[in-house]
Amino acid sequence: MAAEPTLEDLMCSCEHSAVHLELRDGYSRNDPMLDAWLAGVHLDPADRASWWHPWLELVAETTGRGVQIRRARIVSVPVSEYIRYEYDVTFRNVLVGEQVRWLPRQQATDIALPGNDFWLFDGQLLLVHHFSGEGDKVGAELVRDTAVVRLCGSAFEAVWERATPHEDFRPV
């Protein structure tokens, strides 16, 4: 039996679009970059060597092939420290070609949302991420069920239409 494709595999095989919906106000308790940021270390966009890593290379290659990558984040306001950190480092996503938007949770009440973060590739294949209550990733599943794919796709588009582009969003 063949192994399930990884996020990286799916990104490499994507042809047109990859969308990512993030619903949490915090992720991984054990993130050294977050710890450094909380200690006052902030990334310098001009010092690419200090923040570049393989995921960003993959995204740059993917967008370079003409794949549109969009990321939407639903966040509580006032934002958590984690979201402040995430906002501060999002310049990396933008520099490699991702489009990023932010939606305050108060503006999402009337949107039918899935219970989990996900990636949707070419509008056909869903990679759902599962997290512990502390924000640690505990698993993922591939979903091909057309009804679930359609629900997640429509939820993403509803969030995207309402959300504020990264360059115009100010975390409060």
Side-chain angles (χ1 to χ4, degrees), residues 4 14 16 18 42 49 70 99 101 109 111 114 149 153-154 160:
E4 291 284 351
C14 186
H16 307 289
H42 295 269
R70 296 182 293 156
Q99 298 172 56
R101 291 189 182 180
T109 302
I111 300 173
V149 167
S154 67
W160 188 258

Side-chain angles (χ1 to χ4, degrees), residues 139-151:
E141 67 178 303
L142 283 175
V143 178
R144 292 177 175 87
D145 179 283
T146 55
V148 177
V149 167
R150 195 172 350 178
L151 169 75

Side-chain angles (χ1 to χ4, degrees), residues 9-25:
D9 295 335
L10 295 168
M11 194 66 76
C12 287
S13 64
C14 186
E15 295 179 5
H16 307 289
S17 66
V19 301
H20 185 39
L21 183 61
E22 296 179 5
L23 302 165
R24 301 183 56 86
D25 287 318

Side-chain angles (χ1 to χ4, degrees), residues 50-166:
S50 70
W51 51 263
W52 192 254
H53 58 77
W55 171 254
L56 295 169
E57 181 70 31
L58 177 59
V59 172
E61 290 171 3
T62 304
T63 58
R65 291 188 285 113
V67 174
Q68 181 183 53
I69 300 178
R70 296 182 293 156
R71 179 184 303 257
R73 294 173 169 147
I74 297 177
V75 297
S76 297
V77 175
V79 300
S80 68
E81 281 301 299
Y82 186 91
I83 295 301
R84 286 185 194 289
Y85 155 72
E86 196 170 51
Y87 178 84
D88 193 49
V89 300
T90 295
F91 73 87
R92 301 172 310 164
N93 303 74
V94 174
L95 286 175
V96 296
E98 271 192 55
Q99 298 172 56
V100 180
R101 291 189 182 180
W102 304 80
L103 182 65
R105 195 171 308 283
Q106 295 90 326
Q107 296 175 26
T109 302
D110 62 343
I111 300 173
L113 295 168
N116 299 294
D117 289 16
F118 65 83
W119 279 93
L120 178 58
F121 297 94
D122 293 329
Q124 298 177 2
L125 181 61
L126 193 65
L127 178 64
V128 178
H129 291 281
H130 299 289
F131 294 92
S132 72
E134 297 297 331
D136 298 312
K137 189 174 175 192
V138 296
E141 67 178 303
L142 283 175
V143 178
R144 292 177 175 87
D145 179 283
T146 55
V148 177
V149 167
R150 195 172 350 178
L151 169 75
C152 290
S154 67
F156 179 87
E157 293 303 332
V159 170
W160 188 258
E161 287 300 313
R162 208 173 277 185
T164 302
H166 176 72

